[in-house]
């Protein structure tokens, strides 16, 4: 059993390694982003405060995620979304929910209205399944975030934009043009 702020700390480090800089932590990802759990655990042991992290606690954390950021298959682990590193594209793109949401800052909204939703540093634009998740995402940058409704159904059908399911709450997409966006607050 590990306590809440230790869980957050481990989750953030896992995200950083698996999404952005595996090589810096001597973790090898395959083309789809999977890493061997034992290698990853060894790497986490290099952090001063994680030298005693047990595999069972790591697995427990992953199985009980409140927001699904990682998946496990056999002895491998992968981040479900958020990557800045390039991975092999999943070819199974699927129709998205009719409406998705994106939470952002007041600082970004003018540019988004003009240029659309861009993927910025990441491999995909990140969209939320519901308004609550979009608010939580936007709050990382703005205490009172702007919420955008995305007409994902039309963007997929008419705009031929590809969508991928990242996790239970997060969808990934290519750039979304302004005509499919509506600010709702
Ligand atoms: C903004 C977290 C100006 C965009 C979250 C966002 C998510 C533009 C920022 C996941 C723009 C990029 C991803 C444009 C987009 N002009 N700004 N044309 N287009 N932007 O962090 O979606 O908790 O790369 O609005 O909850 O904020 O770490 O993307 O503000 O699910 O698991 O550029 O990361 O997940 O920021 O967040 P990010 P995001 P975790």
């Amino acid at each position: 059993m590990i306590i809440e702020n230790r869980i957050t700390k481990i989750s953030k480090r896992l995200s950083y390694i698996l999404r952005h800089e595996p090589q810096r932590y001597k973790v090898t990802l395959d083309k789809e982003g999977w890493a061997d759990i034992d290698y990853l655990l060894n790497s986490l042991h290099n952090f001063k405060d994680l030298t005693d992290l047990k595999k069972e606690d790591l697995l427990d954390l992953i199985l009980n995620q409140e927001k699904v950021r990682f998946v496990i298959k056999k002895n491998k682990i992968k981040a479900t979304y958020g990557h800045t590193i390039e991975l092999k594209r999943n070819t199974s793109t699927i129709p998205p929910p009719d409406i998705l949401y994106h939470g952002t800052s007041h600082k970004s909204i003018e540019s988004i209205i003009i240029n659309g939703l861009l993927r910025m540093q990441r491999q995909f634009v990140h969209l939320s399944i519901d308004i609550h998740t979009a608010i939580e995402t936007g709050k990382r940058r703005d205490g009172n975030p702007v919420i955008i409704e995305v007409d994902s159904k039309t963007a997929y059908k008419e705009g031929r934009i590809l969508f991928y399911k990242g996790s239970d709450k997060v969808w990934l997409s290519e750039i979304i043009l302004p005509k499919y966006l509506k600010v709702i607050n």
Side-chain angles (χ1 to χ4, degrees):
M1 187 67 169
I2 37 181
I3 50 170
E4 190 60 35
N5 63 0
R6 185 160 154 93
I7 290 177
T8 305
K9 203 180 269 180
I10 299 168
S11 175
K12 287 198 168 166
R13 288 189 175 147
L14 270 181
S15 293
Y16 192 76
I17 297 171
L18 294 172
R19 293 173 179 177
H20 311 304
E21 281 214 277
Q23 71 289 356
R24 181 164 161 204
Y25 296 95
K26 300 193 171 46
V27 172
T28 307
L29 302 191
D30 71 12
K31 287 181 188 153
E32 292 171 353
W34 293 97
D36 183 282
I37 292 184
D38 294 305
Y39 279 105
L40 183 68
L41 187 64
N42 272 340
S43 173
L44 288 170
H45 286 159
N46 289 319
F47 291 100
K48 268 190 200 140
D49 50 348
L50 299 182
T51 50
D52 58 347
L53 179 64
K54 294 192 193 76
K55 188 169 176 178
E56 68 204 61
D57 285 338
L58 180 62
L59 296 178
D60 191 51
L61 176 156
I62 292 157
L63 290 175
N64 293 304
Q65 298 164 92
E66 173 242 331
K67 187 177 179 190
V68 180
R69 297 182 167 94
F70 316 101
V71 272
I72 291 183
K73 196 168 71 183
K74 296 186 179 160
N75 204 41
K76 305 240 171 213
I77 178 171
K78 141 183 188 139
T80 50
Y81 62 88
H83 300 86
T84 53
I85 48 174
E86 196 177 341
L87 301 175
K88 191 174 153 215
R89 292 274 163 118
N90 185 346
T91 46
S92 61
T93 169
I94 43 173
D98 290 356
I99 302 285
L100 286 164
Y101 301 90
H102 181 86
T104 192
S105 61
H106 284 86
K107 206 172 72 179
S108 303
I109 194 63
E110 200 177 308
S111 166
I112 292 174
I113 288 166
I114 295 169
N115 303 304
L117 275 175
L118 308 180
R119 56 193 186 89
M120 310 306 271
Q121 307 295 316
R122 305 196 197 249
Q123 292 294 314
F124 295 103
V125 172
H126 284 59
L127 302 169
S128 301
I129 193 82
D130 53 32
I131 294 179
H132 174 74
T133 309
I135 291 173
E136 291 305 308
T137 297
K139 272 190 178 166
R140 289 156 50 247
R141 303 184 190 286
D142 189 324
N144 180 26
V146 181
I147 304 303
I148 300 170
E149 193 178 88
V150 179
D151 181 0
S152 31
K153 182 182 179 182
T154 312
Y156 179 78
K157 279 197 168 170
E158 172 201 283
R160 295 173 185 270
I161 291 170
L162 298 179
F163 287 83
Y164 304 89
K165 190 168 182 192
S167 75
D168 56 338
K169 294 178 181 165
V170 180
W171 278 73
L172 309 173
S173 76
E174 299 175 299
I175 293 169
I176 312 255
L177 299 178
K179 63 178 172 176
Y180 303 120
L181 306 175
K182 188 167 88 188
V183 174
I184 56 169
N185 66 340

